[in-house]
Amino acid sequence: MTASSQNNSINSSITESLDVARQTYQYNYSHIPPIPMVDQLPPAERFTTNWYFLLAQQLRVLFVNTLITNRGNRGSGSIRDDVKLFILEALVKGAIPARISIIARLLQIAPQFLIQGLSKDLHELDDLLFSLLKENGVLILRDSLNRVIKLLYEGQPTGHATSLQDYEKLFPVIGAPAIAYTFQEDEVFAYMRVAGYNPVMIKQVTSPGNNFPVTDEHYQAVMGNDDSLAAAGQEGRLYLTDYKILDGAINGTYPHYQKYVYAPIALFALPQGSDPNRLLRPVAIQCGQTPGPDYPIITPNSDKYAWLFAKTVVQIADANFHEAVTHLARTHLFVGPFVMATHRQLPASHPLSLLLRPHFEGTLAINDAAQRSLIARGGGVDRLLSPTIDNSRVLAVYGLQSYGFNSAMLPKQFQQRGVDDSNLLPVYPYRDDALLVWDAIHQWVSDYLNLYYATDADIQKDKALQAWADEIQAFDGGRMSDFGQNGGIQTRDYLVDAATLIIFTASAQHAAVNFPQKDLMGYAAALPLAGYVPASILKGEVTEQDYLNLLSPLDQAQRQYNLLGLLGSVYYNKLGDYPEQHFTNPQVKPLLQAFQSNLQQVEATINQRNLHRPAYEYLLPSRIPQSINI
Ligand code: MN
């Protein structure tokens, strides 16, 4: 074979496999219109057995906790016996089909099972849940798993809490998360803005704005008489979170509650001085966009329950923004089109494809599961979040379409919000840790791509790469806005930035907003995913019971923890851990080792920082998965 005929045969086999990929990975724009998603999940994209088993293990923890909460008082007082009784009841009632292998095995050893019950670590339960999940084939809990869950929720606490302790009682086995004991503190409320579940909202302002008429009197009551709004504005010490995007959203009612969406504005300020540990303080909250009697300005000096109510309204808005925009749209749905275009346009051996694919594992599967169930009518989002499901989906679409690729570059994000200067805003753990991880990824991507592209011209003449860039933006492709340099990719620097953003979003950014779901967002007293009282109640006096009525009813609170606790506890893979022999080019090895040792250095730096600030651990590289898969 001559060199050129060999090339031709390689080229034709590449063309063939791309043809197959284009058949397998087809776009769909109607699952969440008009967002590009995969039409049918290709078999190769399905979750692995290991992933299901990890999910089942986490599910077991929540399952047992819920079981004991809802029916512990019916059993013997032993967790193992209660679980055994439940399994038997589920079998008798036909909720669990006896053909499931684990049940068959349990029945084969029925005498021991009936007499001895379950083993101490309840591992039989992992097997059972795994079987239910795996037989269903998708994360979405249908059929038998749905029947088991329905049975599990029988007897659950319902109605509004009459004291905050009612929420603690939802955790008889696993204990309430730590946030349960600190969330009412103003310092914790402010710290959420810079180190919480949605640390991307706060922006620097010179004044609160015309529609938020905070006065010096309000301001000085919090910050002291030797300070003023004007001085704070001038000196870069005023910060706002504004949830205008939620104004006019439609209040949801599923499953059978009137829920409320709010569009509050909250003002924060830093004290004068140069203390490097100075923290933001909350100054004032207005629970709607229009000033006036319906939305009075509430401050820490207002009545206790009015202030708690107003802070909770901000938390509710922040949580709704977080789930639809920050989490779903700007990580899951943002990365999806890159998975598609990479499979459809880059040969498997292409250096960019090799670099990116490990960061895409499980992403199409989790996004597909989300659109089928989690964000479908009657799913978890419909049940728990404030707006109607249609409105939550529209928020996600808006969140993605307003997030142009080039403006999503991490350093630009901080500049755009005026929070990039650590002299002005010294304690911003998300910013500081995210930039460390960003730089480590950037260095790795740059070292790696430099092996394959010596000049900008090499980039410009890589046809597969240019086709990839075209498809990312195409109307019949990824529909990504603000991508590329005049449409294509012209320089090595741009390709490095673009690949860094894709990998950072698929790993660190998703970790930063996904895993706080368990610790910070699961506890409904601290963070109800919906409000249950209109904010206009702040016109008059607010009682403790009004505040408790704002929070999730107990059945909703239990469901909230179970959903967010599950989503926030599956750590399937780890940033920097590429499969053995993934990179066949021997020159990659030292570069990858440098990346991995950089990540260890970042880990040490973050641990060191946590000695001097309230701990922020979501961007420790050891806790950042390689890809979005939960
Ligand atoms: Mn997620």
Side-chain angles (χ1 to χ4, degrees), residues 178-216:
I179 193 74
Y181 307 101
T182 60
F183 72 90
Q184 294 197 349
E185 294 166 21
D186 285 355
E187 200 173 281
V188 171
F189 176 70
Y191 202 56
M192 285 293 135
R193 273 54 269 171
V194 291
Y197 50 91
N198 188 37
V200 297
M201 201 74 200
I202 196 148
K203 62 177 183 190
Q204 192 190 63
V205 292
T206 50
S207 81
N210 290 337
N211 64 334
F212 188 21
V214 181
T215 63
D216 259 331

Side-chain angles (χ1 to χ4, degrees), residues 327 331-332 510 514 517 628 630:
H327 178 207
T331 66
H332 284 255
H510 179 258
N514 186 77
Q517 288 183 111
I628 298 174
I630 188 69

Side-chain angles (χ1 to χ4, degrees), residues 318-329 385 517 521 564:
D318 202 40
N320 278 275
F321 184 92
H322 165 276
E323 289 296 6
V325 177
T326 311
H327 178 207
L328 176 63
L385 280 101
Q517 288 183 111
M521 301 181 73
L564 299 191

Side-chain angles (χ1 to χ4, degrees), residues 472-486:
I472 287 296
Q473 304 166 77
F475 183 75
D476 58 354
R479 298 186 176 181
M480 184 68 63
S481 64
D482 190 23
F483 180 90
Q485 307 158 287
N486 304 317

